[in-house]
Amino acid sequence: MSRLSITIMAVPEREEWVRDLQRQIGQRVPVSWDHAKRGPWGAAEQAWRTVKGGATHHLVLQDDAIVCRDFIRSCEAALDAVPSAPVAFYANRKVIEEARAAGSSWAITKFMTWGVATCLPVWLIPKFLDWQKKNIVPDLRSDDFRLNSFFEEYYYPVHCPAPSLVDHRDGPSVAGNHPPMRRVARGFVGTDRSGTEIDWSAGIDNPPTVSLPSRLRRKKNREKYLR
């Protein structure tokens, strides 16, 4: 059975959001504050190092996340179906809608996650932290790029629940990300529904899959961000 550890990565000006998120989760989970203005990776790295003892999986939640009812139990129920995989509990790609239409509770993105709610098996975290330290330039502020580069390097597909168990507050990005699309989940289960009601075994053997544009293989990225 999966046992989940959670840390929230946050900026001080979003303290009210953090307290609201903790109320949604139902407990005061640890918070990795970016008081020094180091950027997303500074807070994320600290968050990845705060795994609760006895946990099988660790989830890093961003401060602008919105979660479903019975969040911890919902995540653990989903993780029981994919115990060895990286999981993005938030996703905003069309493949989520395709999975739901096909009756699958999962979709796969190769090899990409969104930093809103990324979960790793605890055994994979030291491997990720060691790889990024050796291969990514230290001044890169993006946590997403580090994670996605790691997944791509080792061909780890990212499993995304369909529906998502996490949504994203639709507002300005403190990291400077302003894409043209609304940054909300394609299929959020909702704040009033529990993910424990979902059959997480549905479609697990052949989930819809999408290959997203490579970041690691782009020459300009390799020259700029890789050691």
Side-chain angles (χ1 to χ4, degrees):
M1 299 292 289
S2 300
R3 297 181 301 279
L4 185 65
S5 169
I6 302 175
T7 300
I8 300 169
M9 52 179 285
V11 293
E13 53 266 40
R14 288 180 171 178
E15 183 175 359
E16 183 177 347
W17 288 7
V18 171
R19 302 310 173 204
D20 183 53
L21 181 54
Q22 290 179 325
R23 285 191 291 270
Q24 294 174 48
I25 295 170
Q27 58 181 265
R28 294 180 68 86
V29 299
V31 181
S32 174
W33 295 102
D34 185 19
H35 290 294
K37 303 296 183 183
R38 296 172 297 168
W41 176 241
E45 181 181 19
Q46 179 177 307
W48 283 118
R49 297 185 185 278
T50 56
V51 180
K52 185 177 180 180
T56 60
H57 295 78
H58 187 59
L59 169 64
V60 174
L61 271 178
Q62 291 184 349
D63 52 15
D64 50 6
I66 300 168
V67 303
C68 69
R69 182 166 59 85
D70 295 331
F71 181 62
I72 294 177
R73 292 197 305 121
S74 297
C75 290
E76 291 175 339
L79 291 169
D80 283 343
V82 289
S84 299
V87 172
F89 284 113
Y90 163 89
N92 60 13
R93 293 288 176 164
K94 186 178 180 181
V95 70
I96 301 299
E97 297 173 355
E98 294 171 351
R100 298 183 71 183
S104 175
S105 296
W106 295 95
I108 287 178
T109 58
K110 293 185 176 180
F111 301 92
M112 186 174 180
T113 184
W114 300 264
V116 182
T118 304
C119 183
L120 298 179
V122 294
W123 61 264
L124 192 56
I125 296 172
K127 184 176 181 179
F128 161 58
L129 293 174
D130 183 62
W131 181 88
Q132 64 81 30
K133 184 176 181 179
K134 292 178 179 177
N135 292 279
I136 305 292
V137 295
D139 59 348
L140 177 65
R141 294 164 63 90
S142 171
D143 55 326
D144 289 5
F145 184 91
R146 291 173 188 266
L147 276 165
N148 293 332
S149 297
F150 172 71
F151 296 149
E152 190 172 353
E153 178 73 9
Y154 288 99
Y155 294 90
Y156 288 127
V158 179
H159 284 65
C160 305
S164 296
L165 299 183
V166 175
D167 205 352
H168 185 278
R169 290 179 185 263
D170 189 23
S173 168
V174 296
N177 299 319
H178 298 287
M181 62 184 176
R182 295 178 67 221
R183 296 178 301 130
V184 294
R186 282 292 186 112
F188 178 44
V189 66
T191 57
D192 58 349
R193 185 184 175 198
S194 170
T196 61
E197 303 169 8
I198 296 170
D199 177 9
W200 294 110
S201 67
I204 190 60
D205 293 331
N206 189 30
T209 301
V210 61
S211 295
L212 298 172
S214 169
R215 294 185 181 184
L216 184 62
R217 305 304 175 193
R218 294 176 186 169
K219 183 179 179 180
K220 66 177 182 179
N221 282 346
R222 296 188 70 88
E223 292 175 346
K224 187 175 181 179
Y225 300 128
L226 300 189
R227 291 179 186 267

